[in-house]
Amino acid sequence: MITDECINCDVCEPECPNDAIYMGADFYEIDPHKCTECVGHFDEPQCVQICPVACIPLNPEHVESRETLMQKYQRLTAIKVTAASAGV
Ligand code: SF4
Ligand code: SF4
């Protein structure tokens, strides 16, 4: 999750492999349904690594095991493949 300490610097959005980061009403937000904490793509959460003000803590309302995150990654990847083959 991104806290209100976000300075809208824009650097995290393009780093997310799952397109989970988007501009919210006042600052950037993360869609927890798309975020895998970068599991499946990278060893470390890319947005957390790059954020200059360290305002991206884990969301206590969305504590997920690595296994759950991997399943989410596989589901998201399958959706992407399906969309690509359908020409979406
Ligand atoms: S942890 Fe990874 S998947 Fe989640 S929002 Fe950050 S960059 Fe995207
Ligand atoms: S990198 Fe951090 S400060 Fe910059 S937009 Fe993302 S959450 Fe906000």
Side-chain angles (χ1 to χ4, degrees), residues 14-82:
E15 294 299 320
C16 179
N18 294 320
D19 295 329
I21 303 176
Y22 61 95
M23 187 63 200
D26 297 313
F27 49 87
Y28 276 90
E29 296 183 29
I30 293 175
D31 180 346
H33 302 293
K34 287 186 175 179
C35 173
T36 62
E37 295 174 21
C38 283
V39 167
H41 292 283
F42 301 102
D43 290 337
E44 301 286 340
Q46 298 298 289
C47 58
V48 176
Q49 299 279 307
I50 206 166
C51 179
V53 295
C55 69
I56 314 183
L58 281 177
N59 187 337
E61 289 180 17
H62 291 280
V63 178
E64 295 164 289
S65 69
R66 193 176 170 84
E67 193 174 77
T68 306
L69 292 166
M70 183 54 86
Q71 285 168 357
K72 193 194 294 186
Y73 160 75
Q74 286 165 346
R75 201 169 60 241
L76 288 168
T77 310
I79 290 169
K80 267 191 202 161
V81 170
T82 307

